[in-house]
Amino acid sequence: MLNDKKLNILLIFAVLIVLYLISTNIIYQGLVFPMYGDQRVLFEDWNVIISALQCEKLGYDVFLENPCDKGGRKHVYGSIFLLIPFFEKYSEFYLIYFPYFTILVFISVIIFHFNLRNILELILCILFIFSPSLLLAIERFNNDILIFLILLYTCYSRSNFTSLILISTVSMAKFYPIVSSVVLLFRGKYILRIFYFLLFLTIMLLYIYFDLESLKKIFSMKAQFTGSWALSFSIYNFVSLTSPLQIFISKLYLLMFILTFTFFLIFGSYMIFKEITIFKNFNLNDYKSRLFLLGLIICIFVYFAFYNYYYREIFLFFIIPYLFLKKDDHYLIKLIIYFLLGRHLFFLMSNYLYLNNFLTDYLFYLLLFKTFLDLFLISTLLGILLGICTNLLNSNVKKLKI
């Protein structure tokens, strides 16, 4: 792609459009939910970290109070962010230039993973870049963007030591990247894989031990990083949105139905996909396969474990390059791609209607359907993950017997 002038021009054009939408506030007109109503604050999630650095210098315990932040939001990330060297006279670099540069890299990396000569990949690329989840992450410059780029690099890196350092760092910054430690099991001699994995666990245990008080304060403020019902990517949101059905069925039966439906969806996906050749012969020898497996693990974990803001959907990107690589190997892979296309299109439409107060009488049903699509997708991906793990386990057992 780098050698194709037309595609490079398209890349630059896409990046400029996104940056223009942000800088002119057009992004708020049906694309992104503003944090402070009519007040526009650029890169708000990044600002709270910088404000925490400022207030910590003034002697505040920013886990308890952070008056330097416009909204008074406390620091709800790992203490490692407070180790960032901050110089007041260069605040413009921290607040403006660094976010813009990182966004440029972020969008470029995403586009470079698509073959834009293929109409299907071009459409999904456009829908992904202009999806509400990615635009929200960019507009607020959420640190998930940095974690995204770091974890993507670990799948590309050939050094387990480098991956260990990077994964340990992002796991200290936020909680969910801890599951990305599976990257340490992707390559190298068996004994070295185990060594690096155990070393990671040791580092994390030491981190928890020495920073336990700060972690307790963070969890006491979990409402600050819990997504609202309209901005959430979580199974808990689906359960919450189905609560009105309790006028027809008891809460217990409703929960049992959701759990049963989810179980059979996962089990059915597992039984189907584990027999597909590309998953029966799945290996971690190439970058796209490693990225795919990591994407499955992260998306499934955050969906079932946390009440996320929907910008965490950006990690669905990790599964896309592998799906396109294998799209001609089985019709079900193409169906997943088409499902992603339809889901992103519906998400863009429903988000626009919600932010502009259109079809207000039906918005609840649109949001409920969006959460159902999320449940269907993640349950399917969990079935695929279980199928891959089963096949990898059977393959390793056979090798040991030989």
Side-chain angles (χ1 to χ4, degrees):
M1 176 175 171
L2 289 171
N3 296 323
D4 193 313
K5 291 183 179 179
K6 291 181 180 179
L7 296 181
N8 289 336
I9 292 172
L10 184 60
L11 163 64
I12 295 171
F13 187 64
V15 171
L16 290 176
I17 288 176
V18 173
L19 296 181
Y20 176 76
L21 289 174
I22 295 173
S23 61
T24 59
N25 289 336
I26 294 177
I27 197 171
Y28 300 107
Q29 297 174 19
L31 294 174
V32 167
F33 187 83
M35 181 170 290
Y36 295 121
D38 293 332
Q39 300 182 55
R40 314 306 192 197
V41 182
L42 191 61
F43 306 141
E44 189 55 39
D45 285 355
W46 183 246
N47 281 353
V48 72
I49 294 175
I50 301 303
S51 67
L53 292 172
Q54 294 171 318
C55 259
E56 192 193 33
K57 282 188 175 183
L58 298 175
Y60 288 95
D61 183 349
V62 292
F63 293 100
L64 296 177
E65 55 178 336
N66 183 19
C68 299
D69 179 61
K70 179 179 180 179
R73 293 175 299 163
K74 302 172 181 63
H75 186 71
V76 291
Y77 306 114
S79 299
I80 195 166
F81 274 118
L82 300 178
L83 299 179
I84 297 174
F86 178 74
F87 304 97
E88 194 71 43
K89 64 179 180 179
Y90 299 120
S91 59
E92 194 170 88
F93 166 79
Y94 290 92
L95 295 170
I96 302 296
Y97 296 116
F98 176 71
Y100 271 122
F101 173 75
T102 308
I103 289 168
L104 174 64
V105 174
F106 177 56
I107 298 174
S108 301
V109 165
I110 289 173
I111 293 177
F112 285 150
H113 280 79
F114 287 94
N115 174 16
L116 301 184
R117 298 183 188 88
N118 182 292
I119 188 65
L120 194 61
E121 294 196 39
L122 176 61
I123 294 172
L124 186 55
C125 178
I126 293 172
L127 287 176
F128 193 86
I129 289 175
F130 294 99
S131 67
S133 51
L134 188 138
L135 290 177
L136 181 66
I138 289 175
E139 183 270 337
R140 295 188 181 179
F141 193 61
N142 188 268
N143 46 52
D144 277 357
I145 291 177
L146 298 173
I147 294 173
F148 175 100
L149 293 172
I150 290 171
L151 294 184
L152 186 144
Y153 176 75
T154 62
C155 291
Y156 187 81
S157 172
R158 295 182 178 181
S159 169
N160 265 352
F161 178 75
T162 302
S163 297
L164 172 68
I165 299 300
L166 293 175
I167 293 171
S168 298
T169 301
V170 296
S171 297
M172 293 178 196
K174 278 190 170 180
F175 308 115
Y176 72 87
I178 196 169
V179 297
S180 62
S181 58
V182 295
V183 168
L184 301 172
L185 302 173
F186 284 177
R187 62 167 65 85
K189 295 181 179 179
Y190 179 77
I191 188 67
L192 288 177
R193 297 182 201 177
I194 300 301
F195 169 75
Y196 280 114
F197 187 74
L198 292 178
L199 184 57
F200 169 78
L201 293 180
T202 302
I203 292 172
M204 294 313 300
L205 287 173
L206 289 172
Y207 163 68
I208 292 172
Y209 176 77
F210 287 110
D211 208 29
L212 185 59
E213 289 306 311
S214 296
L215 294 175
K216 288 180 179 178
K217 295 171 186 176
I218 292 172
F219 277 109
S220 69
M221 289 301 301
K222 65 179 181 179
Q224 188 172 307
F225 53 86
T226 297
S228 66
W229 61 279
L231 299 171
S232 182
F233 173 66
S234 169
I235 190 172
Y236 305 111
N237 194 38
F238 178 73
V239 174
S240 298
L241 287 173
T242 55
S243 58
L245 296 176
Q246 291 178 27
I247 61 175
F248 305 107
I249 185 174
S250 69
K251 183 177 181 179
L252 177 61
Y253 285 128
L254 180 60
L255 185 60
M256 288 176 60
F257 172 77
I258 294 173
L259 292 175
T260 303
F261 173 79
T262 305
F263 170 78
F264 279 107
L265 189 56
I266 295 170
F267 182 74
S269 300
Y270 165 74
M271 295 302 294
I272 293 171
F273 285 100
K274 80 181 183 72
E275 298 301 327
I276 295 178
T277 303
I278 59 172
F279 295 129
K280 288 182 74 172
N281 301 324
F282 188 87
N283 60 69
L284 299 167
N285 295 331
D286 64 281
Y287 161 72
K288 290 184 179 180
S289 297
R290 294 191 291 269
L291 190 65
F292 178 74
L293 187 61
L294 181 59
L296 291 178
I297 292 170
I298 292 176
C299 291
I300 291 164
F301 178 69
V302 299
Y303 180 77
F304 286 108
F306 302 109
Y307 218 128
N308 318 273
Y309 278 96
Y310 60 47
Y311 48 63
R312 201 147 290 164
E313 294 181 20
I314 61 175
F315 288 99
L316 285 172
F317 168 78
F318 282 15
I319 72 172
I320 293 175
Y322 183 81
L323 291 177
F324 276 114
L325 179 67
K326 301 295 183 179
K327 70 179 185 298
D328 296 323
D329 291 3
H330 201 282
Y331 74 95
L332 286 177
I333 305 301
K334 280 190 176 180
L335 285 179
I336 295 176
I337 294 173
Y338 290 136
F339 182 87
L340 286 171
L341 280 170
R343 176 190 174 276
H344 275 75
L345 189 59
F346 180 82
F347 187 18
L348 188 63
M349 177 196 69
S350 61
N351 191 74
Y352 179 82
L353 293 174
Y354 170 72
L355 292 178
N356 288 279
N357 296 315
F358 295 141
L359 302 175
T360 53
D361 293 336
Y362 302 97
L363 281 177
F364 168 79
Y365 301 102
L366 291 175
L367 292 172
L368 179 60
F369 186 65
K370 162 61 171 58
T371 59
F372 172 77
L373 293 178
D374 292 342
L375 176 63
F376 186 88
L377 175 62
I378 299 301
S379 298
T380 301
L381 295 181
L382 179 52
I384 293 174
L385 176 62
L386 293 174
I388 289 174
C389 291
T390 300
N391 292 329
L392 286 175
L393 181 61
N394 291 337
S395 176
N396 287 326
V397 169
K398 288 179 181 178
K399 288 179 181 179
L400 290 174
K401 287 182 179 179
I402 295 174

